[in-house]
Amino acid sequence: MTDLPTPQSPLKLGTRGSPLALAQAHETRDRLATAFGLPLDAFEIVVIKTTGDDRSMIDADRPLKEIGNKGLFTKEIEEAMLAGRIDIAVHSMKDMPTEQPAGLVLDCYLPREDVRDAFICPDADSLHDLPQGAVVGTSSLRRRAQLLHRRPDLQVVEFRGNLQTRLKKLNDGVARATFLACAGLNRLGMTHVPQSAISPDDMLPAVAQGAIGIERRADDSRAQEMLAAIHDAPTALRLAAERAFLAALDGSCETPIAALAEQTGDTLRLRGEILKTDGSAAYAGEITGPVDTGAEMGRTLAADLLAQAGPGFFTH
């Protein structure tokens, strides 16, 4: 490759500005620098504010579905890339719509972190230990539905903001407990936060939870070649199954959907769950098959759960 980035002409990585988003951008930069023997200043991290980062909406705890859907955390970054202001974009894969805008490609994933949800509560070790009617905060429709399905007595309140904002709300007594992704806590080195990881057997995580994806322009061969050097194929195989499951069901942030694909040798096991927003009903299932048939498995499992749930499950 002849035209590697230099400090004079750096490769520009677009990202949101939260501490977690920046940690993910730094990990991407460090992996690229190592792969190509480049100095860190051959890369520039460009912070882009997205609709989902609007401070007034976060402070008001406006639900995500009132503001828009999954594109909330990606639209402005993708526009900057199409306009040539950045070269690549670093995303949390669970924020990503299942289809990319024309001209953009998402085919690079970093090795996946811990997929589990963490239960965050200063004075209880698990969801089952919370007293009747306890207030729990989350902005995730999936977590809300899973909580109410298991504990209809709980009061679930909207809890927007980045990891630090949500921890502050917890400390301020807005809620007794909340949930965060273990991956985010790990990437930020926040081992001091009182947390207990929840087994996927108890609470299936969001599609692509714990995975970082890097998006590029379809016609940018340099970015394609550089990203290929840090791409993690096992993560891609698992996400192919989970994202096909999501795409077949809906793919927006407005429906509670959970999925997890796990690889053992040449076999992939995909578990999925769909729930009513109020937690009043849930359908779960699993499928196993050859690891390279993940997308097909995702579509099959989605069709199976929809058949069980019946027409209009998500709309009523």
Side-chain angles (χ1 to χ4, degrees), residues 121-138:
C121 182
D123 55 7
D125 291 332
S126 84
L127 184 60
H128 311 293
D129 299 334
L130 288 174
Q132 285 280 115
V135 177
V136 179
T138 180

Side-chain angles (χ1 to χ4, degrees), residues 97-147:
T98 49
E99 289 183 22
Q100 275 49 67
L104 298 182
V105 177
L106 180 60
D107 60 1
C108 173
Y109 306 114
L110 300 189
R112 196 171 190 176
E113 246 288 358
D114 192 330
V115 300
R116 295 173 297 176
D117 284 312
F119 176 71
I120 312 290
C121 182
D123 55 7
D125 291 332
S126 84
L127 184 60
H128 311 293
D129 299 334
L130 288 174
Q132 285 280 115
V135 177
V136 179
T138 180
S139 62
S140 157
L141 280 178
R142 169 190 63 89
R143 288 175 180 146
R144 170 188 289 266
Q146 288 173 323
L147 287 172

Side-chain angles (χ1 to χ4, degrees), residues 240-241 244 270 287 292-302:
L270 174 66
I287 185 171
D292 56 357
T293 61
E296 198 180 312
M297 286 165 56
R299 290 188 285 271
T300 301
L301 183 58

Side-chain angles (χ1 to χ4, degrees), residues 61 137-139 157-161 166-167 169-170 174-175 177-178:
D61 280 324
T138 180
S139 62
V157 298
E158 193 67 32
F159 225 51
R160 285 286 319 283
R166 284 184 275 169
L167 289 173
K169 288 178 179 178
L170 198 61
V174 178
T178 190

Side-chain angles (χ1 to χ4, degrees), residues 178-235:
T178 190
F179 295 82
L180 298 168
C182 287
L185 293 163
N186 292 347
R187 288 198 173 107
L188 288 170
M190 297 181 74
T191 48
H192 58 283
V193 175
Q195 58 187 287
S196 44
I198 304 169
S199 163
D201 296 336
D202 289 337
M203 196 159 151
L204 210 56
V207 168
Q209 185 153 299
I212 295 171
I214 303 149
E215 196 177 21
R216 61 177 170 84
R217 284 185 294 276
D219 60 3
D220 187 341
S221 56
R222 178 181 75 164
Q224 180 178 9
E225 210 173 319
M226 289 187 73
L227 292 177
I230 62 168
H231 175 60
D232 187 65
T235 298

